[in-house]
């Protein structure tokens, strides 16, 4: 198992390449990207590669325009956004409602000051009522608290309530994605992440199945927006980090092929 398999599901074509330990190309293939089902294009391109060599893959790297396109086109699954300590003015300034449309945005009492000290207790009763009211109509929950980057205790408590009463819906907390103090932007980031979790889960589960069909027993890594790799579990929890995955892979690839550290692509 001394080969590495790279797959890029791009805007037009899906490419795959097998490389050895010396970074030499062993085999490569290209197929049309199937936007309605990216997994189909991935299967098509793997069909063009030698099966005996695919089974020698010890690592699989996947880059995709899936999350980038979802953000640019403002697509996403319905979410419920729980905001602790936010004002209506902050929500309007963040343009959060432009992102989520008619999805519920619930403002809850409960906040911390800039030092991370609790300035207002969390209204758990209202939070529980909102979770139970919206859980059957959304695919995920996004949570952000005022100065949650300094003290995430309210966000953590809200996550516990969703885990217990949210019908198994995935949860994204703002403090897990950003340490910046810009609360409105952190709330938007959490909402974006929650909206694209189902897309990424569907793709990763499909790719896992395809790799099994080809006898590939190797860890699946996803390209982040900075060109580095994360494992699939991290990508499922924080898919927003894979936004710009495809373009980042292009830049990293161009740098590798040119042999230059500083390049204009």
């Amino acid at each position: 198992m001394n080969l590495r398999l790279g797959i890029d599901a791009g805007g037009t074509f899906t490419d795959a390449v097998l490389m050895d330990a010396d970074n030499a190309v062993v085999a490569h293939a290209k197929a049309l990207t199937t936007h309605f089902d990216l997994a189909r294009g991935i299967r098509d391109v793997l069909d063009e590669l030698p099966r005996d060599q695919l089974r020698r893959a010890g690592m699989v790297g996947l880059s995709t325009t899936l999350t980038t396109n979802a953000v640019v086109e403002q697509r996403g699954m319905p979410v419920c956004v729980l905001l602790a300590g936010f004002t209506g003015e902050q929500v309007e300034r963040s343009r959060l409602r432009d992102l989520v449309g008619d999805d519920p945005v619930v403002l809850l009492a409960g906040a911390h000051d800039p030092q991370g000290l609790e300035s207002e207790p969390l209204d758990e009763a209202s939070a529980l009522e909102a979770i139970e009211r919206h859980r059957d109509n959304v695919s995920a929950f996004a949570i952000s608290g005022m100065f949650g980057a300094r003290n995430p205790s309210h966000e953590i408590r809200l996550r516990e309530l969703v885990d217990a009463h949210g019908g198994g819906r995935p949860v994204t907390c703002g403090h897990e994605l950003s340490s910046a103090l810009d609360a409105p932007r952190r709330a938007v980031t959490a909402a974006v992440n929650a909206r694209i979790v189902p897309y990424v889960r569907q793709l990763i589960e499909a790719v896992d199945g395809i790799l099994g069909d080809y006898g590939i027993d190797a860890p699946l890594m996803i390209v982040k927006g900075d060109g580095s790799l994360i494992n699939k579990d991290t990508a499922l929890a924080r898919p927003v980090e894979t936004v710009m995955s495809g373009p980042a892979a292009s830049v990293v690839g161009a740098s590798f092929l040119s042999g230059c550290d500083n390049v204009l692509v």
Side-chain angles (χ1 to χ4, degrees):
M1 299 178 69
N2 59 348
L3 300 180
R4 290 166 291 159
L5 171 62
I7 304 170
D8 175 53
T12 305
F13 293 106
T14 295
D15 296 274
V17 61
L18 280 165
M19 300 183 70
D20 63 18
D22 296 322
N23 290 330
V25 174
V26 175
H28 61 90
K30 183 184 293 284
L32 285 172
T33 294
T34 48
H35 290 282
F36 58 90
D37 181 6
L38 292 179
R40 181 175 296 185
I42 292 172
R43 186 180 292 277
D44 289 343
V45 79
L46 293 185
D47 277 340
E48 302 298 319
L49 296 177
R51 288 224 173 190
D52 60 327
Q53 292 180 332
L54 283 174
R55 286 192 289 269
R56 292 171 54 199
M59 190 275 284
V60 180
L62 173 66
S63 63
T64 172
T65 58
L66 176 67
T67 54
T68 307
N69 291 342
V71 172
V72 170
E73 298 167 11
Q74 293 192 331
R75 290 186 287 110
M77 303 299 285
V79 297
C80 176
V81 184
L82 303 176
L83 301 177
F86 280 68
T87 66
E89 180 182 354
Q90 287 173 313
V91 174
E92 292 304 316
R93 188 168 71 248
S94 70
R95 302 186 66 180
L96 175 62
R97 295 191 188 277
D98 291 344
L99 171 69
V100 301
D102 295 329
D103 292 355
V105 177
V106 182
L107 303 185
L108 300 166
H112 293 91
D113 65 19
Q115 285 71 46
L117 301 175
E118 186 179 71
S119 58
E120 183 180 32
L122 179 65
D123 185 352
E124 294 189 17
S126 295
L128 179 58
E129 188 275 332
I131 292 167
E132 292 179 338
R133 175 156 42 96
H134 297 298
R135 63 188 177 192
D136 294 333
N137 300 313
V138 299
S139 63
F141 284 83
I143 295 171
S144 190
M146 184 56 58
F147 290 107
R150 290 281 169 83
N151 185 341
S153 60
H154 287 171
E155 294 186 11
I156 293 171
R157 180 53 184 155
L158 287 171
R159 173 190 282 280
E160 293 172 347
L161 291 173
V162 173
D163 286 343
H165 304 280
R169 302 295 186 269
V171 187
T172 295
C173 290
H175 76 274
E176 299 170 329
L177 302 174
S178 173
S179 60
L181 294 181
D182 188 333
R185 180 173 294 181
R186 195 169 61 252
V188 169
T189 303
V192 169
N193 192 82
R195 281 166 60 84
I196 60 180
V197 163
Y199 289 139
V200 174
R201 173 176 289 140
Q202 182 181 32
L203 176 63
I204 287 178
E205 289 177 349
V207 172
D208 265 341
I210 292 171
L211 296 180
D213 292 342
Y214 285 87
I216 301 171
D217 183 16
L220 175 61
M221 308 294 288
I222 314 299
V223 179
K224 288 175 54 177
D226 63 0
S228 61
L229 296 174
I230 52 177
N231 62 42
K232 65 180 182 181
D233 291 333
T234 303
L236 286 170
R238 301 197 296 271
V240 72
E241 294 189 10
T242 69
V243 174
M244 303 303 289
S245 167
S250 295
V251 174
V252 172
S255 177
F256 171 79
L257 292 172
S258 67
C260 299
D261 292 331
N262 298 302
V263 292
L264 181 64
V265 181

